[in-house]
Amino acid sequence: MLTPEENDLLCRVEGNAPMGQLMRRHWIPALMSEELVTDGKPVRVKLLGEELVAFRNSEGKVGLLDEFCPHRGPSLAYGRNEQCGLRCLYHGWKFDIEGNVVEMPSEPVGTPMKEKTKIKSYPTAEAGGFVWAYMGPAAEKIAFQRPPFSPNDSTQVSITKVKVPCNWAQIQEGQIDSAHSSSLHSSDMVPARVESAGATSTNWTRPSTDKAPRMISQVTPYGFRYVALRRPIKNAQTHDYARITVYVAPFISLIPPNSSYNVASVVVPADDTSTWFYFISWGGTDTVGTDEWRAFNHLVKGVDIDEHYNSRRTMDNDFGQDRDAMASGNFTGIKGIPNQDIAMWVSMGKIADRSRDTLGASDIAVVEFRRLMVEAVKQFRDGADAAIGTAEPRVPQIEIASYQGIVSKGTDWLTLGTQATEQAILNNMAKAAS
Ligand code: FES
Ligand SMILES: [Fe+2]
């Protein structure tokens, strides 16, 4: 349970809120690369309560600027994106991706105002289908790293995006909570006598019917990882079905893979009470294409979501819940794994009140997330620690991985899914703690 003060520390991200400032020490997934076309329509982007506009200039580079023109304040989302700059419609001032004013046609030629005026701009990078932005102090900017779900440019990364009208932390808790999948997603993740988790175009299979996993967690320099051990359908006496979920603070969760592809999610606060949620399949032997992935998740633009990624399933229409489908065997009556999650997250309230929770043994990951992030944000606020995940030694992001598989009982789960650098760092942490 968290006190109201701790809940605020965990959840609030706008302005000077410590968690928002902690997030600004990381490269933030701002939007999908596909949303920006060279010299095309600028896109409004809200991040950590800040209203920004993104555009791709004539050279293909991405600018991320204050949404509002510094002259008199209209939105640059209506601006003209032309010849390497974004031009305000009102009086024609034009800005480059670094925030310089390159033209000021309403002022006399040679005006010193042109050199003196700047619009706020943030550095960007692109990888893994995302535009990433650094919104923190320049002196503390860490080097950009490719994310865990995109080890190189040729990795297939299929992303579905939706805006969720609630706070980020209850979404992140859902992403790292392995126990809920056996209930909430039971019609989409069905038990089967398989050797390993599988995926078809309509559902996922898993080799266990166990709804009460035993969980063990391990803190890492970037966040934490934990294993959920279930009884497998086959060889339950000698083996465990191990699913390892990884939280890479503050934005990324790596969900256990299946035999066709890996799964990740990205959770980024737009403001205190709305969040960009991205659900990702990537890099497996049979990763589904983007269109197929969006159809599988029932998050297709124009059908399930509008052009601004707002879901058409809302509290007002009970998220499209179909009671007839439930009567004939569907567990939730809601189509699509993320849509089932969203119904849970949104119905918990704009910012979940964690003083009323009744936590049990299967909530270990949720407890670990809260403890880790509340501690991290307190230390960061008090100046005792750098933002979690930014201090050396850092595990290279592309070496961080989740895991799933049937293993013999007694296997050291700490070694499953880790590579050499991470294992060496974890060994040193364990030595230092003993
Ligand atoms: S308000 Fe933008 S140029 Fe005048
Ligand atoms: Fe879920």
Side-chain angles (χ1 to χ4, degrees):
M1 287 210 307
L2 296 185
T3 64
E5 292 71 29
E6 287 173 327
N7 209 33
D8 270 0
L9 267 178
L10 176 67
C11 296
R12 297 208 181 262
V13 293
E14 296 178 20
N16 285 327
M19 185 60 85
Q21 293 300 320
L22 179 154
M23 288 177 169
R24 285 170 188 260
R25 271 35 175 206
H26 289 263
W27 285 83
I28 300 173
L31 73 167
M32 295 187 292
S33 289
E34 68 173 55
E35 295 178 65
L36 299 175
V37 177
T38 296
D39 288 338
K41 188 177 184 300
V43 174
R44 282 193 177 88
V45 187
K46 198 172 190 192
L47 296 169
L48 306 175
E50 245 184 85
E51 290 170 303
L52 304 167
V53 64
F55 68 104
R56 192 182 294 280
N57 75 7
S58 312
E59 293 171 348
K61 294 185 183 142
V62 175
L64 186 64
L65 309 180
D66 186 350
E67 184 186 336
F68 305 103
C69 179
H71 180 207
R72 299 252 301 281
S75 173
L76 292 171
Y78 304 113
R80 298 178 62 86
N81 181 10
E82 55 191 16
Q83 290 156 339
C84 270
L86 186 60
R87 189 188 296 280
C88 177
L89 290 188
Y90 212 172
H91 313 90
W93 292 16
K94 182 176 167 185
F95 308 94
D96 68 13
I97 60 172
E98 264 114 39
N100 303 304
V101 181
V102 290
E103 287 178 34
M104 210 174 237
S106 57
E107 291 298 309
V109 176
T111 174
M113 242 173 92
K114 183 160 155 282
E115 307 308 319
K116 281 196 209 134
T117 309
K118 283 278 230 175
I119 186 168
K120 184 166 56 188
S121 76
Y122 292 117
T124 63
E126 283 189 88
F130 283 87
V131 174
W132 306 75
Y134 181 77
M135 295 173 65
E140 292 179 47
K141 186 164 100 179
I142 55 171
F144 176 73
Q145 284 192 9
R146 300 188 71 89
F149 52 83
S150 175
N152 56 62
D153 274 332
S154 58
T155 310
Q156 169 69 30
V157 180
S158 299
I159 308 170
T160 170
K161 170 173 182 171
V162 58
K163 194 173 192 189
V164 185
C166 71
N167 180 258
W168 77 281
Q170 64 216 56
I171 300 177
Q172 201 63 271
E173 286 175 352
Q175 284 315 103
I176 46 115
D177 162 26
S178 178
H180 82 275
S181 58
S182 305
S183 289
L184 184 69
H185 306 311
S186 53
S187 296
D188 301 274
M189 301 182 187
V190 292
R193 289 184 72 80
V194 288
E195 298 302 325
S196 174
T200 70
S201 61
T202 51
N203 64 24
W204 292 348
T205 52
R206 61 165 54 172
S208 174
T209 54
D210 189 348
K211 292 192 179 185
R214 287 139 290 137
M215 295 189 179
I216 319 163
S217 71
Q218 153 98 359
V219 171
T220 67
Y222 53 77
F224 72 98
R225 60 205 305 276
Y226 75 92
V227 66
L229 295 169
R230 290 175 168 86
R231 276 188 329 277
I233 293 177
K234 295 201 268 184
N235 302 323
Q237 300 306 317
T238 51
H239 287 70
D240 284 317
Y241 176 46
R243 290 171 62 81
I244 295 178
T245 304
V246 182
Y247 176 52
V248 187
F251 306 117
I252 299 173
S253 310
L254 306 176
I255 287 140
N258 57 56
S259 53
S260 296
Y261 47 82
N262 302 297
V263 186
S265 72
V266 170
V267 173
V268 184
D271 52 32
D272 283 352
T273 54
S274 62
T275 305
W276 303 109
F277 175 69
Y278 304 87
F279 198 43
I280 299 167
S281 69
W282 65 278
T285 52
D286 195 15
T287 307
V288 288
T290 298
D291 289 345
E292 201 185 328
W293 180 239
R294 290 174 184 170
F296 173 75
N297 286 299
H298 295 270
L299 283 173
V300 175
K301 231 186 205 182
V303 179
D304 306 284
I305 50 174
D306 70 15
E307 61 171 322
H308 302 297
Y309 300 94
N310 296 300
S311 178
R312 294 192 170 153
R313 295 178 178 86
T314 64
M315 296 262 268
D316 286 340
N317 58 27
D318 292 333
F319 299 92
Q321 188 178 39
D322 179 349
R323 291 272 162 188
D324 291 337
M326 292 169 81
S328 32
N330 187 280
F331 188 75
T332 60
I334 298 171
K335 284 190 178 142
I337 293 169
N339 297 324
Q340 294 153 9
D341 286 311
I342 290 168
M344 300 300 100
W345 302 332
V346 174
S347 62
M348 292 161 85
K350 287 278 180 198
I351 299 182
D353 174 1
R354 291 169 175 78
S355 67
R356 299 190 308 189
D357 286 347
T358 315
L359 300 178
S362 73
D363 292 306
I364 280 179
V366 173
V367 172
E368 187 71 62
F369 167 79
R370 295 178 186 177
R371 194 198 57 72
L372 181 82
M373 292 312 281
V374 169
E375 193 57 28
V377 76
K378 281 183 181 168
Q379 301 280 357
F380 170 76
R381 176 198 60 188
D382 300 341
D385 278 341
I388 183 171
T390 62
E392 297 298 337
R394 291 179 75 199
V395 180
Q397 294 263 311
I398 60 170
E399 293 183 14
I400 304 172
S402 60
Y403 175 89
Q404 71 86 35
I406 296 177
V407 297
S408 11
K409 279 190 188 296
T411 299
D412 178 9
W413 75 272
L414 293 175
T415 62
L416 299 174
T418 55
Q419 293 191 32
T421 316
E422 179 168 5
Q423 212 30 257
I425 293 172
L426 293 181
N427 291 346
N428 286 340
M429 285 171 76
K431 251 188 243 153
S434 65

